[in-house]
Amino acid sequence: QVQLVQSGAEVKKPGASVKVSCKAFGYTFTGYYIHWVRQAPGQGLEWMGRINPNSGGTNYAQKFQGRVTMTSDASVSTAYMELTTVTSDDTAIYYCARTRTGTPILNWGQGTLVTVSS
Amino acid sequence: DIQMTQSPSSLSASIGDRVTITCRASQGISKYLVWYQQKPGKVPKVLIYAASTLQSGVPSRFSGSGSGTDFTLTISSLQPEDVATYYCQTYNSDHMHTFGGGTTVEIK
C-alpha cells in the first residue's frame, strides 16, 4: 500500500538549516507530486510548496521563496525539503504528502517534528 | 499567492445543530476546493473534494457547495465525533495550494 515515511525529529539552533526526507513506497514515485506542509504547535496547516519528481520542477509559496529547496531522487524514491536560516517560528511538524494534477491530498507522511531552540 | 479566508475561526454548537463554515478565495479557483477534517495528533482527512463531491466513506451529513471564490461546508446534524478542526484548501494546479486558516468546531 501507499506509504510516505519521513525522517526523524530534528533539533536545530537558530540560523541553522534543516533537511527532512520523505521516502515513498507502494506506487510509482515519478507519477505524483510531493507536497510539503507544516503545522506549528496549536496552529493551522501551512502549504510550503511542491515538487514534480518526474521533471524536478518546483512551486514554492511566496513566504518560503529563497529559504526552501525541494529536491527528489527517483533512484531511491525519496523527496527532500531543506529550510535554511531557521528561527523559533519554524518550530513545527513538517509533513510530506502526494497528489496527482488536479487532485487533493489523500496520502500523508507521518510528520517530522523540527524544533528550533538555542 | 492566492489567499483562502475561512470563517468563523471557531464555533460552538449543540448536538444535532446545523453547522456552516465558509471559505473565500482571493481569486477564482473554479471547483478546485477540498475540505479536510483534522483531529488532534492526526493527519488531515478529506471530507469533500471538487467543492461538492463527498469522499468515499464520509458520512452524508457532510456536504459542500460553491464555485469560483465562495464555498461552504455544512454539517447537517452535528455529532460528538465531529469535534475537530476543518480546513479548506485550493488544489488548482495553476495556483499555490493554499490552506484556509481553519475552523475549530466544539460541542456546546
Side-chain angles (χ1 to χ4, degrees):
Chain A
Q1 75 280 21
V2 174
Q3 267 194 293
L4 298 171
V5 179
Q6 298 183 223
S7 48
E10 302 264 12
V11 179
K12 295 293 180 181
K13 293 197 181 303
S17 297
V18 65
K19 191 169 187 176
V20 180
S21 68
C22 171
K23 186 171 175 62
F25 297 89
Y27 72 96
T28 302
F29 180 65
T30 52
Y32 292 76
Y33 289 95
I34 293 289
H35 298 247
W36 290 91
V37 176
R38 77 178 188 179
Q39 188 166 34
Q43 302 301 308
L45 301 167
E46 186 170 31
W47 185 81
M48 299 179 69
R50 67 175 182 178
I51 183 167
N52 180 338
N54 188 50
S55 65
T58 55
N59 301 103
Y60 300 140
Q62 198 166 20
K63 173 177 178 176
F64 300 102
Q65 289 272 4
R67 211 161 63 90
V68 71
T69 303
M70 296 177 189
T71 57
S72 64
D73 183 344
S75 69
V76 289
S77 299
T78 301
Y80 305 91
M81 186 283 300
E82 183 173 25
L83 189 64
T84 61
T85 323
V86 297
T87 71
S88 57
D89 290 341
D90 295 312
T91 293
I93 298 173
Y94 289 75
Y95 294 101
C96 65
R98 73 158 198 169
T99 70
R100 277 206 142 123
T101 300
T103 69
I105 295 172
L106 291 176
N107 304 101
W108 298 76
Q110 83 275 20
T112 296
L113 176 62
V114 174
T115 303
V116 181
S117 174
S118 54
Chain B
D1 289 357
I2 190 168
Q3 305 301 316
M4 305 296 290
T5 304
Q6 252 183 270
S7 62
S9 57
S10 65
L11 67 89
S12 181
S14 300
I15 300 297
D17 280 356
R18 183 180 185 88
V19 168
T20 299
I21 300 167
T22 64
C23 179
R24 174 165 288 174
S26 60
Q27 54 190 288
I29 58 170
S30 184
K31 301 195 83 171
Y32 290 97
L33 191 283
V34 58
W35 289 98
Y36 298 97
Q37 177 193 65
Q38 187 182 33
K39 296 186 176 180
K42 302 292 188 184
V43 297
K45 166 189 162 183
V46 172
L47 298 175
I48 303 284
Y49 64 95
S52 59
T53 302
L54 191 69
Q55 173 72 353
S56 176
V58 173
S60 59
R61 64 181 179 273
F62 291 94
S63 64
S65 64
S67 67
T69 60
D70 293 303
F71 302 87
T72 300
L73 172 71
T74 300
I75 308 173
S76 60
S77 177
L78 186 67
Q79 300 302 304
E81 60 267 32
D82 300 335
V83 170
T85 302
Y86 295 83
Y87 296 93
C88 62
Q89 185 198 26
T90 178
Y91 59 98
N92 185 323
S93 59
D94 294 335
H95 298 297
M96 302 296 107
H97 292 219
T98 310
F99 286 94
T103 298
T104 300
V105 174
E106 299 176 336
I107 302 293
K108 192 182 298 182

